[in-house]
Amino acid sequence: MKAVLFIRPAYASAMIYSRIWLLYRFKLRAGTDMSTSEKVIIKGLTQDGGKFRPSDWAERLCGAVASYGPGRRIIFHPHVRLASIDSVKCVVIDAILEQKDEMLFEFLTDFAKENNLQVYRTNAFPLQEDQ
């Protein structure tokens, strides 16, 4: 007697979708080394040195440019990351985004301008002591 493997159609499509999602996720991560290219850093401090509120602004901003995968898991944009520099929340943007998705880059930098946040361009990440 031959054994037959039966997979319900709903599970089969979920398995295929999760495999595609994993391939997509690893493809995005491959070649996106955030440590070797120029960065734009939006710091959670205003130009006067005050702490920017609300305290979860960086998570909200990164969430606004994220997408969702299987099981409603958040997939952050490969060129936009959360960071903490000197205990201050920051959003680190890979400067290549300026060429790849100009509208998204402008959205992020306009947010910083409108809220009077400190913005740095740097090739060294994490930041050196002199900045």
Side-chain angles (χ1 to χ4, degrees):
M1 182 174 201
K2 191 174 183 182
V4 176
L5 178 63
F6 177 74
I7 300 175
R8 293 192 313 194
Y11 292 127
S13 63
M15 287 173 29
I16 292 169
Y17 183 71
S18 64
R19 285 186 181 170
I20 292 170
W21 176 76
L22 285 172
L23 290 173
Y24 174 74
R25 185 175 174 110
F26 286 116
K27 181 180 175 188
L28 281 179
R29 289 185 182 260
T32 57
D33 186 9
M34 296 243 346
S35 64
T36 60
S37 64
E38 186 180 17
K39 309 288 179 286
V40 176
I41 299 172
I42 303 172
K43 253 184 146 174
L45 296 175
T46 61
Q47 294 295 337
D48 337 353
K51 192 170 186 179
F52 183 66
R53 297 286 181 200
S55 60
D56 65 341
W57 72 271
E59 290 87 354
R60 290 184 189 193
L61 188 59
C62 286
V65 299
S67 60
Y68 292 89
R72 296 185 181 177
R73 293 187 60 176
I74 192 166
I75 302 170
F76 287 106
H77 195 282
H79 298 295
V80 181
R81 297 278 189 252
L82 291 168
S84 180
I85 301 172
D86 299 328
S87 301
V88 176
K89 289 187 179 182
C90 302
V91 173
V92 180
I93 307 164
D94 198 343
I96 194 79
L97 189 62
E98 196 168 6
Q99 284 82 37
K100 286 190 172 187
D101 192 346
E102 187 178 342
M103 287 179 60
L104 178 58
F105 185 81
E106 285 181 10
F107 168 75
L108 295 167
T109 54
D110 285 347
F111 173 84
K113 288 176 191 169
E114 289 171 4
N115 291 291
N116 202 24
L117 296 175
Q118 296 178 10
V119 179
Y120 299 100
R121 266 192 187 264
T122 181
N123 288 327
F125 187 76
L127 291 175
Q128 302 299 323
E129 292 298 321
D130 60 343
Q131 288 197 353

mmCIF file of all heavy atoms in Angstrom, residues 88-113:
data_model
loop_
_atom_site.group_PDB
_atom_site.id
_atom_site.type_symbol
_atom_site.label_atom_id
_atom_site.label_comp_id
_atom_site.label_asym_id
_atom_site.label_seq_id
_atom_site.Cartn_x
_atom_site.Cartn_y
_atom_site.Cartn_z
ATOM 1 N N VAL A 88 19.117 58.348 23.142
ATOM 2 C CA VAL A 88 18.118 59.132 22.410
ATOM 3 C C VAL A 88 17.642 58.284 21.236
ATOM 4 O O VAL A 88 18.455 57.760 20.469
ATOM 5 C CB VAL A 88 18.721 60.461 21.889
ATOM 6 C CG1 VAL A 88 17.707 61.213 21.050
ATOM 7 C CG2 VAL A 88 19.215 61.313 23.034
ATOM 8 N N LYS A 89 16.319 58.135 21.090
ATOM 9 C CA LYS A 89 15.782 57.360 19.976
ATOM 10 C C LYS A 89 16.064 58.068 18.664
ATOM 11 O O LYS A 89 15.961 59.283 18.564
ATOM 12 C CB LYS A 89 14.283 57.160 20.149
ATOM 13 C CG LYS A 89 13.955 56.199 21.261
ATOM 14 C CD LYS A 89 12.494 55.903 21.297
ATOM 15 C CE LYS A 89 12.216 54.920 22.418
ATOM 16 N NZ LYS A 89 10.809 54.559 22.478
ATOM 17 N N CYS A 90 16.425 57.267 17.663
ATOM 18 C CA CYS A 90 16.769 57.796 16.352
ATOM 19 C C CYS A 90 16.195 56.901 15.264
ATOM 20 O O CYS A 90 15.900 55.731 15.501
ATOM 21 C CB CYS A 90 18.283 57.843 16.165
ATOM 22 S SG CYS A 90 19.143 58.810 17.387
ATOM 23 N N VAL A 91 16.072 57.475 14.089
ATOM 24 C CA VAL A 91 15.739 56.713 12.892
ATOM 25 C C VAL A 91 16.926 56.863 11.950
ATOM 26 O O VAL A 91 17.344 57.980 11.645
ATOM 27 C CB VAL A 91 14.440 57.223 12.234
ATOM 28 C CG1 VAL A 91 14.206 56.536 10.907
ATOM 29 C CG2 VAL A 91 13.259 57.005 13.159
ATOM 30 N N VAL A 92 17.479 55.735 11.513
ATOM 31 C CA VAL A 92 18.638 55.725 10.623
ATOM 32 C C VAL A 92 18.149 55.344 9.230
ATOM 33 O O VAL A 92 17.550 54.294 9.045
ATOM 34 C CB VAL A 92 19.712 54.734 11.112
ATOM 35 C CG1 VAL A 92 20.902 54.728 10.174
ATOM 36 C CG2 VAL A 92 20.132 55.064 12.528
ATOM 37 N N ILE A 93 18.411 56.226 8.279
ATOM 38 C CA ILE A 93 17.977 56.018 6.899
ATOM 39 C C ILE A 93 19.217 55.821 6.042
ATOM 40 O O ILE A 93 20.149 56.623 6.095
ATOM 41 C CB ILE A 93 17.201 57.243 6.383
ATOM 42 C CG1 ILE A 93 16.055 57.602 7.331
ATOM 43 C CG2 ILE A 93 16.686 57.002 4.973
ATOM 44 C CD1 ILE A 93 15.507 58.990 7.104
ATOM 45 N N ASP A 94 19.227 54.757 5.260
ATOM 46 C CA ASP A 94 20.315 54.546 4.314
ATOM 47 C C ASP A 94 20.152 55.572 3.199
ATOM 48 O O ASP A 94 19.078 55.680 2.599
ATOM 49 C CB ASP A 94 20.251 53.127 3.759
ATOM 50 C CG ASP A 94 21.545 52.681 3.138
ATOM 51 O OD1 ASP A 94 22.387 53.544 2.844
ATOM 52 O OD2 ASP A 94 21.711 51.471 2.951
ATOM 53 N N ALA A 95 21.184 56.362 2.911
ATOM 54 C CA ALA A 95 21.087 57.456 1.945
ATOM 55 C C ALA A 95 20.782 56.978 0.537
ATOM 56 O O ALA A 95 20.305 57.762 -0.292
ATOM 57 C CB ALA A 95 22.370 58.282 1.954
ATOM 58 N N ILE A 96 20.989 55.705 0.244
ATOM 59 C CA ILE A 96 20.659 55.159 -1.080
ATOM 60 C C ILE A 96 19.164 55.269 -1.349
ATOM 61 O O ILE A 96 18.724 55.288 -2.495
ATOM 62 C CB ILE A 96 21.161 53.694 -1.212
ATOM 63 C CG1 ILE A 96 21.151 53.231 -2.666
ATOM 64 C CG2 ILE A 96 20.314 52.755 -0.387
ATOM 65 C CD1 ILE A 96 22.308 53.722 -3.438
ATOM 66 N N LEU A 97 18.383 55.395 -0.290
ATOM 67 C CA LEU A 97 16.935 55.538 -0.432
ATOM 68 C C LEU A 97 16.582 56.812 -1.189
ATOM 69 O O LEU A 97 15.550 56.880 -1.848
ATOM 70 C CB LEU A 97 16.275 55.537 0.951
ATOM 71 C CG LEU A 97 14.761 55.457 0.992
ATOM 72 C CD1 LEU A 97 14.278 54.157 0.373
ATOM 73 C CD2 LEU A 97 14.266 55.554 2.417
ATOM 74 N N GLU A 98 17.454 57.799 -1.129
ATOM 75 C CA GLU A 98 17.226 59.055 -1.842
ATOM 76 C C GLU A 98 17.135 58.826 -3.355
ATOM 77 O O GLU A 98 16.376 59.506 -4.043
ATOM 78 C CB GLU A 98 18.343 60.043 -1.525
ATOM 79 C CG GLU A 98 18.038 61.461 -1.878
ATOM 80 C CD GLU A 98 19.044 62.435 -1.288
ATOM 81 O OE1 GLU A 98 20.053 62.005 -0.688
ATOM 82 O OE2 GLU A 98 18.805 63.638 -1.436
ATOM 83 N N GLN A 99 17.884 57.846 -3.876
ATOM 84 C CA GLN A 99 17.806 57.512 -5.293
ATOM 85 C C GLN A 99 16.748 56.442 -5.570
ATOM 86 O O GLN A 99 16.069 56.490 -6.581
ATOM 87 C CB GLN A 99 19.157 57.009 -5.822
ATOM 88 C CG GLN A 99 20.190 58.082 -6.040
ATOM 89 C CD GLN A 99 20.908 58.453 -4.754
ATOM 90 O OE1 GLN A 99 21.174 57.597 -3.938
ATOM 91 N NE2 GLN A 99 21.209 59.723 -4.593
ATOM 92 N N LYS A 100 16.617 55.482 -4.669
ATOM 93 C CA LYS A 100 15.706 54.358 -4.902
ATOM 94 C C LYS A 100 14.238 54.733 -4.749
ATOM 95 O O LYS A 100 13.398 54.260 -5.503
ATOM 96 C CB LYS A 100 16.038 53.199 -3.964
ATOM 97 C CG LYS A 100 17.283 52.464 -4.338
ATOM 98 C CD LYS A 100 17.416 51.214 -3.530
ATOM 99 C CE LYS A 100 18.568 50.379 -4.056
ATOM 100 N NZ LYS A 100 18.622 49.082 -3.415
ATOM 101 N N ASP A 101 13.911 55.523 -3.736
ATOM 102 C CA ASP A 101 12.516 55.900 -3.472
ATOM 103 C C ASP A 101 12.503 57.326 -2.941
ATOM 104 O O ASP A 101 12.452 57.557 -1.734
ATOM 105 C CB ASP A 101 11.888 54.926 -2.478
ATOM 106 C CG ASP A 101 10.380 55.078 -2.388
ATOM 107 O OD1 ASP A 101 9.853 56.098 -2.879
ATOM 108 O OD2 ASP A 101 9.735 54.177 -1.829
ATOM 109 N N GLU A 102 12.556 58.275 -3.867
ATOM 110 C CA GLU A 102 12.675 59.686 -3.502
ATOM 111 C C GLU A 102 11.497 60.169 -2.654
ATOM 112 O O GLU A 102 11.675 60.937 -1.713
ATOM 113 C CB GLU A 102 12.787 60.527 -4.768
ATOM 114 C CG GLU A 102 13.081 61.978 -4.506
ATOM 115 C CD GLU A 102 13.244 62.770 -5.788
ATOM 116 O OE1 GLU A 102 13.461 62.165 -6.850
ATOM 117 O OE2 GLU A 102 13.148 63.999 -5.702
ATOM 118 N N MET A 103 10.297 59.698 -2.973
ATOM 119 C CA MET A 103 9.112 60.135 -2.216
ATOM 120 C C MET A 103 9.177 59.686 -0.763
ATOM 121 O O MET A 103 8.844 60.443 0.149
ATOM 122 C CB MET A 103 7.832 59.625 -2.874
ATOM 123 C CG MET A 103 7.496 60.353 -4.156
ATOM 124 S SD MET A 103 6.002 59.747 -4.957
ATOM 125 C CE MET A 103 4.781 60.020 -3.718
ATOM 126 N N LEU A 104 9.617 58.454 -0.532
ATOM 127 C CA LEU A 104 9.740 57.943 0.829
ATOM 128 C C LEU A 104 10.819 58.702 1.587
ATOM 129 O O LEU A 104 10.631 59.077 2.748
ATOM 130 C CB LEU A 104 10.051 56.447 0.817
ATOM 131 C CG LEU A 104 10.246 55.785 2.178
ATOM 132 C CD1 LEU A 104 9.004 55.964 3.045
ATOM 133 C CD2 LEU A 104 10.565 54.326 2.004
ATOM 134 N N PHE A 105 11.942 58.957 0.922
ATOM 135 C CA PHE A 105 13.022 59.708 1.547
ATOM 136 C C PHE A 105 12.548 61.111 1.926
ATOM 137 O O PHE A 105 12.805 61.589 3.032
ATOM 138 C CB PHE A 105 14.233 59.786 0.604
ATOM 139 C CG PHE A 105 15.427 60.437 1.217
ATOM 140 C CD1 PHE A 105 16.261 59.724 2.060
ATOM 141 C CD2 PHE A 105 15.717 61.769 0.969
ATOM 142 C CE1 PHE A 105 17.375 60.320 2.650
ATOM 143 C CE2 PHE A 105 16.817 62.380 1.542
ATOM 144 C CZ PHE A 105 17.643 61.655 2.385
ATOM 145 N N GLU A 106 11.833 61.766 1.032
ATOM 146 C CA GLU A 106 11.299 63.099 1.325
ATOM 147 C C GLU A 106 10.289 63.063 2.456
ATOM 148 O O GLU A 106 10.240 63.977 3.277
ATOM 149 C CB GLU A 106 10.675 63.712 0.069
ATOM 150 C CG GLU A 106 11.696 64.193 -0.923
ATOM 151 C CD GLU A 106 11.066 64.817 -2.152
ATOM 152 O OE1 GLU A 106 9.833 65.054 -2.161
ATOM 153 O OE2 GLU A 106 11.808 65.069 -3.106
ATOM 154 N N PHE A 107 9.461 62.025 2.510
ATOM 155 C CA PHE A 107 8.493 61.878 3.597
ATOM 156 C C PHE A 107 9.210 61.854 4.940
ATOM 157 O O PHE A 107 8.826 62.554 5.885
ATOM 158 C CB PHE A 107 7.660 60.599 3.408
ATOM 159 C CG PHE A 107 6.846 60.222 4.612
ATOM 160 C CD1 PHE A 107 5.695 60.910 4.930
ATOM 161 C CD2 PHE A 107 7.251 59.174 5.439
ATOM 162 C CE1 PHE A 107 4.943 60.566 6.054
ATOM 163 C CE2 PHE A 107 6.511 58.826 6.560
ATOM 164 C CZ PHE A 107 5.351 59.525 6.857
ATOM 165 N N LEU A 108 10.272 61.066 5.033
ATOM 166 C CA LEU A 108 11.008 60.930 6.290
ATOM 167 C C LEU A 108 11.742 62.222 6.662
ATOM 168 O O LEU A 108 11.694 62.664 7.812
ATOM 169 C CB LEU A 108 11.993 59.762 6.194
ATOM 170 C CG LEU A 108 11.353 58.379 6.037
ATOM 171 C CD1 LEU A 108 12.392 57.349 5.639
ATOM 172 C CD2 LEU A 108 10.643 57.964 7.309
ATOM 173 N N THR A 109 12.407 62.837 5.689
ATOM 174 C CA THR A 109 13.149 64.060 5.992
ATOM 175 C C THR A 109 12.216 65.246 6.236
ATOM 176 O O THR A 109 12.525 66.109 7.052
ATOM 177 C CB THR A 109 14.169 64.380 4.886
ATOM 178 O OG1 THR A 109 13.504 64.419 3.623
ATOM 179 C CG2 THR A 109 15.277 63.350 4.852
ATOM 180 N N ASP A 110 11.082 65.285 5.546
ATOM 181 C CA ASP A 110 10.099 66.346 5.803
ATOM 182 C C ASP A 110 9.518 66.242 7.204
ATOM 183 O O ASP A 110 9.246 67.250 7.851
ATOM 184 C CB ASP A 110 8.978 66.321 4.767
ATOM 185 C CG ASP A 110 9.407 66.864 3.413
ATOM 186 O OD1 ASP A 110 10.491 67.480 3.343
ATOM 187 O OD2 ASP A 110 8.659 66.669 2.436
ATOM 188 N N PHE A 111 9.338 65.007 7.683
ATOM 189 C CA PHE A 111 8.875 64.805 9.056
ATOM 190 C C PHE A 111 9.850 65.463 10.026
ATOM 191 O O PHE A 111 9.458 66.161 10.960
ATOM 192 C CB PHE A 111 8.743 63.309 9.363
ATOM 193 C CG PHE A 111 8.433 63.012 10.800
ATOM 194 C CD1 PHE A 111 7.134 63.039 11.262
ATOM 195 C CD2 PHE A 111 9.451 62.728 11.709
ATOM 196 C CE1 PHE A 111 6.842 62.785 12.596
ATOM 197 C CE2 PHE A 111 9.171 62.466 13.034
ATOM 198 C CZ PHE A 111 7.865 62.502 13.484
ATOM 199 N N ALA A 112 11.135 65.253 9.785
ATOM 200 C CA ALA A 112 12.159 65.836 10.656
ATOM 201 C C ALA A 112 12.155 67.360 10.577
ATOM 202 O O ALA A 112 12.252 68.042 11.602
ATOM 203 C CB ALA A 112 13.533 65.288 10.285
ATOM 204 N N LYS A 113 12.020 67.902 9.375
ATOM 205 C CA LYS A 113 12.006 69.363 9.207
ATOM 206 C C LYS A 113 10.787 69.989 9.875
ATOM 207 O O LYS A 113 10.896 71.004 10.560
ATOM 208 C CB LYS A 113 12.029 69.731 7.724
ATOM 209 C CG LYS A 113 13.347 69.493 7.053
ATOM 210 C CD LYS A 113 13.252 69.789 5.568
ATOM 211 C CE LYS A 113 14.496 69.298 4.851
ATOM 212 N NZ LYS A 113 14.335 69.332 3.394
#
